[in-house]
Amino acid sequence: TRPLRLGEIARVVRDEMERVQVVDLHTHLFPPSHGELMLWGIDDLLTYHYLIAEYFQTAPRAVAPASFFALPKAFQADMIWAALFVQRSPLSEACKGVLTTLEKLGLRQELRARDLSGIRRWFAEQDPDAYCEKVFSLAGVKYCVMTNIPFDPTEAKHWRPAKKSYTRRFRSALRVDPLLKGDWETVSACLTAANYPQTLEGARQYLRDWAETMQPEYLMASTPHDFQYAGKKGNGGSCQSSKDGKKGGQEDMGQGCGVTMIDKSPKGAELLEKVLIPVAEELSLPIAMKLGAHRAVNPSLGTAGDGLVAADVGDLRRLCTAHPQVKFLATFLARVSQHEAAVLANKFPNLHLYGCWWYCNNPSIIREITAMRLEILGTGFTAQHSDARVLDQLIYKWSHSRRVIGEVLAGEYVSLAQTGWKLTREEVRRDVERLLGGAYEEFMQK
Ligand code: RAT
Ligand code: ZN
């Protein structure tokens, strides 16, 4: 409890950053109980879609994406290893991530020798359950939130008819992208297959029932690049995203109890307003929005072909205004959106910003965004989430982020200390815990 000396601040922040058990509030990870859905090990690390995209930047013309994807995963991994780690220096954040991960797992010798076979042998000896625990403890992650998509049958089978049991390291989030995309075809196919009526009320009941099954932390969706939300009283119950001017279905627009059959497809904003928001409100579940992805910019690359767009931050403002009783978690993909988003979070107590997402999850950008957020929001935001798809990535994503966020925070404390403000280690610990999970949990509870 003694005040820290100026010269001690950087070291204390570094220590506290190293020791804090973080909450990882958005990942694509699955527990070992989910079998093939759990990605881990060197071949999954090397075939991460960030690395596939980087590989194709410079791949020979003769390697067509379709033939690459038809190869066994280990072959794909070999090609990426050769191109990005042997023929070039692995300078990108995604490449360095693989190195940090292996180094922290203790595979230093194999790394030094660039011995991919040796690395594979090591992973082959690991037991998934024990390895999973090892990764969580090495990464210092208290628990992670998964992304659970009921519309995807390969996932749904792990929940119904019987829910798989898994450790407390994993929590659920119910993801509903087809709703925000206005992809009524997918939604109605799922409703039909599960014997729900093809109505808005049918869709709401479907969500309620899945929420009952999954017990999610929140409902979540990423917005399509052309998403527009007009607000509650906008054009026909906020179906502004309807580019072709069609109204969304026969159902009582604007009144919205929605039991009539739908004969035209409702659009994303309408499904948000009439399905997602009412269910969120009814079940007191926050909605996590991810804004700024432009899917399938190069469709031949699959997930690796998704790009970025500067989303309209105004959509989120209109949502927070129209639904003050609903809590929104949000993260933006474009660097240009970050400042406006921080100001918005400063105005709306029902909005919580989290993480440096995907193309922003690079040290230089994390540094800039974190400094700006601290300056505007104090500790009222969540500095990072990993978005890990491969279990082992928790190790590097958190290690890289802890370092940068710590450096930024230390700088802010030094300027505090220069005013004569006295700071203790316990206070540093409190702030660090808040930035890496505590602020999220406080927001969820309020
Ligand atoms: O970062 C990623 O892995 C992306 O492919 C997306 O999944 C993104 O994180 C998302 O959740 O939409
Ligand atoms: Zn994600």
Side-chain angles (χ1 to χ4, degrees), residues 26-28 147 175 220 290 295 357-358 385 387-389:
H26 167 66
T27 73
H28 298 263
T147 298
R175 181 142 180 176
M220 73 172 302
K290 300 176 82 67
R295 303 290 174 189
W357 179 27
W358 195 352
H385 68 279
D387 223 324
R389 283 182 176 259

Side-chain angles (χ1 to χ4, degrees), residues 51-61 63 83-84 87-88:
L51 289 174
I52 292 181
E54 192 180 334
Y55 168 76
F56 274 107
Q57 278 170 233
T58 54
R61 266 180 177 278
V63 187
L84 302 184
Q87 291 150 23
R88 292 179 170 73

Side-chain angles (χ1 to χ4, degrees), residues 18 21 23 39 118 180-181 214 228 333 342 348 371 425:
E18 285 303 314
Q21 292 291 304
V23 172
L39 302 183
L180 260 65
K181 265 201 269 176
M214 289 175 169
Q228 288 177 39
L333 194 52
F348 287 94
R425 178 184 275 272

Side-chain angles (χ1 to χ4, degrees), residues 47 55-56 63-80:
T47 52
Y55 168 76
F56 274 107
V63 187
S67 48
F68 174 86
F69 288 119
L71 294 170
K73 196 185 280 177
F75 281 42
Q76 298 175 9
D78 283 341
M79 289 162 80
I80 291 177

Side-chain angles (χ1 to χ4, degrees), residues 29 92 111 128 151 159 248-249 256 284 292 351 364 396-397 400 404:
L29 301 177
S92 70
L111 255 189
F151 304 104
W159 297 94
S284 301
L351 173 61
S364 63
Y396 91 79
K397 296 213 185 213
H400 291 190
V404 186

Side-chain angles (χ1 to χ4, degrees), residues 98-137:
V98 176
L99 306 184
T100 302
T101 304
L102 297 175
E103 194 267 332
K104 294 213 177 279
L105 285 167
L107 293 159
R108 286 174 204 110
Q109 245 176 322
E110 289 82 349
L111 255 189
R112 209 170 310 132
R114 302 187 189 177
D115 173 12
L116 183 54
S117 317
I119 296 170
R120 284 202 171 109
R121 276 197 299 280
W122 186 87
F123 278 102
E125 283 160 14
Q126 309 305 311
D127 161 72
D129 285 290
Y131 183 66
C132 183
E133 234 349 270
K134 178 186 177 122
V135 169
F136 271 87
S137 89

